[in-house]
Structure formats: structure tokens, C-alpha cells
Amino acid sequence: AVKNESRIQVKEEKVSLRMEQNRIEKQKIAQFAASLIEPDDFVYLDAGTTTGAMIPFIEETKATFVTNAVSHALMLAEKGMHVILIGGEMKASTEAIVGNEAYQNMQKYNFTKGFFGTNGVDQNAGFTTPDVNEALVKECAIKHSQAPYVLCDSAKFYQICPVRFAEFRDAIVVTDCVPEEYKKMQNMIVV
């Protein structure tokens, strides 16, 4: 077997396109992640298609959700969940609230669990995204999460974007399949 070469991705696709990519895998990952939410959890739900796919599976009504995604906040509120939407700059391509104001808002929270999307996963480069403003918010939220989970389908492995928001060891990865060299890692959950 030949190792896939890591590729640096500088461009980000729109949410509408990413929603269709690896849809079945994302739903499996999302269903498992949603099952981790317990009563009285204070949950950070990051913007992203896989984190958004969690919402139909979330059954815990006694948890509180903080998010930087307007669409996530709306879907959670429609389900009757207690939701806090952070303020800041709206990034159209990812439908996320990002930037310094969002970062300032995020600093006051401490989460029992955090669920994060990522554009790239690499043992050496860590978890990455193309946007420095988005990375700032993700980095803060991961540091303030007692149990951070990065949700990603297997296509994200060996992808590297320009901005790291966390080291590979800083979160538990929930995915559908892992490359051989990742199978020995302690922070992997395959669903």
C-alpha cells in the first residue's frame, strides 16, 4: 500500500456543496456524536456539515447548546432546545460566526463537551481550516471544552489547510474509517 500524500487545501467549498459530500458517513458520525450528549451538558456545537447533521439525532432536551452557526441555532431552537448563539462576523461560505468578537464571546464559556468540524486532519499538522478567523474561534472553544470531539469523515485525513486550530492529540476524532497508521492512535473512535 502506498501512503496518501498530504495536500494543503487553501480554498473552502460552500456549505451547500459540502452537505452532499460523504452524506451517509456524516450521518453515522453525527448519530454517534449526538448519543454522547447527556442531561445538563453545556455543549459547544461548531459550525459545519457533520456537526449540523447531529441536530436531528439530538434527543437530550436538558442540555444547553452554544453555537457559532446560525443554521444550527435555528434547528436546535425549532426542536425546543436551549440555545446560545455567539455574536461576531458572519462568514457566508461556512455560515459561521467568526473573528475577534466571536472569540471574545467564546472566552467566557466552559463546555462539558464540544463537537467540532474540520477541513483537515493530519497527525503532524493537527486539525486545520483555511480561515484564520474561524480557527481563532475553534481554538478557543476546544481549549474551553472538557471533552472535545472532532467529527470528520475519512476523506479529511491527510488534508492540511493553512491554519491549525488544535494539535492532533487535543481532541477525540469521531470518524467512519481510519487510515492504517492512525489505527494505533488512542484518540480515535470509528463508527
Side-chain angles (χ1 to χ4, degrees):
V2 178
K3 178 183 171 185
N4 289 341
E5 292 297 318
S6 296
R7 296 179 298 274
I8 296 179
Q9 304 290 325
V10 295
K11 191 174 129 183
E12 194 162 30
E13 294 173 338
K14 290 186 177 190
V15 171
S16 58
L17 294 174
R18 289 196 322 250
M19 285 179 75
E20 297 305 316
Q21 295 171 340
N22 305 310
R23 179 182 285 259
I24 293 169
E25 293 85 351
K26 288 178 182 182
Q27 287 179 340
K28 286 181 193 175
I29 294 163
Q31 185 172 15
F32 174 81
S35 75
L36 298 173
I37 299 170
E38 299 172 305
D40 302 318
D41 267 341
F42 192 70
V43 177
Y44 178 69
L45 191 61
D46 187 33
T49 55
T50 309
T51 54
M54 286 176 64
I55 297 169
F57 298 109
I58 295 172
E59 296 179 5
E60 185 50 62
T61 59
K62 293 184 180 177
T64 296
F65 296 89
V66 178
T67 187
N68 69 327
V70 176
S71 60
H72 292 11
L74 288 170
M75 288 188 290
L76 287 163
E78 286 173 359
K79 288 186 73 162
M81 307 295 188
H82 181 237
V83 184
I84 300 167
L85 179 63
I86 63 168
E89 176 186 339
M90 174 76 165
K91 182 179 173 188
S93 64
T94 60
E95 300 175 5
I97 306 297
V98 299
N100 192 52
E101 189 173 336
Y103 173 78
Q104 294 295 326
N105 282 307
M106 191 65 68
Q107 287 188 350
K108 64 185 166 194
Y109 297 117
N110 292 300
F111 306 106
T112 56
K113 294 181 177 92
F115 298 95
F116 300 85
T118 188
N119 295 76
V121 177
D122 184 85
Q123 289 180 50
N124 299 315
F127 303 109
T128 58
T129 183
D131 187 290
V132 70
N133 289 320
E134 197 160 346
L136 186 68
V137 174
K138 288 176 183 283
E139 179 181 27
C140 183
I142 277 190
K143 286 180 180 176
H144 287 249
S145 294
Q146 191 174 36
Y149 297 90
V150 172
L151 313 182
C152 67
D153 60 78
S154 56
K156 302 287 178 73
F157 288 97
Y158 302 113
Q159 301 295 316
I160 301 172
C161 296
V163 188
R164 175 179 32 222
F165 62 89
E167 298 286 338
F168 180 75
R169 68 180 181 279
D170 291 343
I172 297 167
V173 178
V174 181
T175 188
D176 58 296
C177 176
V178 294
E180 190 63 38
E181 64 205 62
Y182 286 80
K183 289 182 180 178
K184 295 178 185 174
M185 300 296 183
Q186 300 296 313
N187 63 332
M188 306 295 293
I189 296 174
V190 180
V191 296

